[in-house]
Amino acid sequence: MLTDSNDMNIAITIEDPSAKPGSASTMVQGGQLPITLTLDASPGSGAAFALALATTSSAPALVAYCDNFVQQDETTWTGMLDGTDSRLAAAMSGQETQPFGAQVSWSLNGGSPVICPNFTITVEQPNTTEPATSDGGPTYVTSAMLTAAIAALPTTGAEIGVLVTAWMASLPTALPATAGVAWMNGGQLSLS
């Protein structure tokens, strides 16, 4: 999973509700964006925060959401905006970069939510994808290869028994000349 190298720091004013990004207003689709909320004053106990990312059309559609912020001290909360959301992937289809509206909201002790005006987060496609192989280097296992290999694993004792029996039947029955080779020695599995 990709993690953006920069946190997005968002300054929040409690009395006159506003949220302004201080850095990293770009994230990579398919990655995780660490978010730090820094408040101008302590909101007291029972504060809950959320950040919503939506399209900027006349009928905005939610594409990513974070509501699992953890309090670090009296005025700081941290969370992670998940860029792997399928709604974000669909909105980014065919786009290199695209601006989205971000909105921070919070509530105190279960009260009515306070919603800040939007600011913009630009989402970009990752500029690297996992290679099938490298040039002149080792071969990499891709996600698709790993998924196929796991799907092909036997799931029952009977399937495992068939595989082990077939493997044992493929072993030589005469002592191999090379040390450390498995062979069948009169029905007993042995190493040369």
Side-chain angles (χ1 to χ4, degrees), residues 164-174 181-185 188-190:
V164 171
T165 302
W167 174 74
M168 292 177 76
S170 72
L171 295 175
T173 56
V181 175
W183 68 292
M184 292 304 293
N185 183 3
Q188 299 264 338
L189 181 60
S190 302

Side-chain angles (χ1 to χ4, degrees), residues 1 4 10 31 49 64 66 107 117 121 131 133 136 140 144 147 157 180:
M1 179 86 43
D4 288 355
I10 301 172
F49 294 88
C66 175
S107 62
I121 294 177
T133 61
Y140 295 97
T147 301

Side-chain angles (χ1 to χ4, degrees), residues 134-186:
S134 67
D135 294 331
T139 299
Y140 295 97
V141 176
T142 65
S143 296
M145 293 165 66
L146 184 59
T147 301
I150 291 170
L153 290 174
T155 58
T156 66
E159 290 173 328
I160 294 170
V162 168
L163 290 175
V164 171
T165 302
W167 174 74
M168 292 177 76
S170 72
L171 295 175
T173 56
L175 178 62
T178 308
V181 175
W183 68 292
M184 292 304 293
N185 183 3

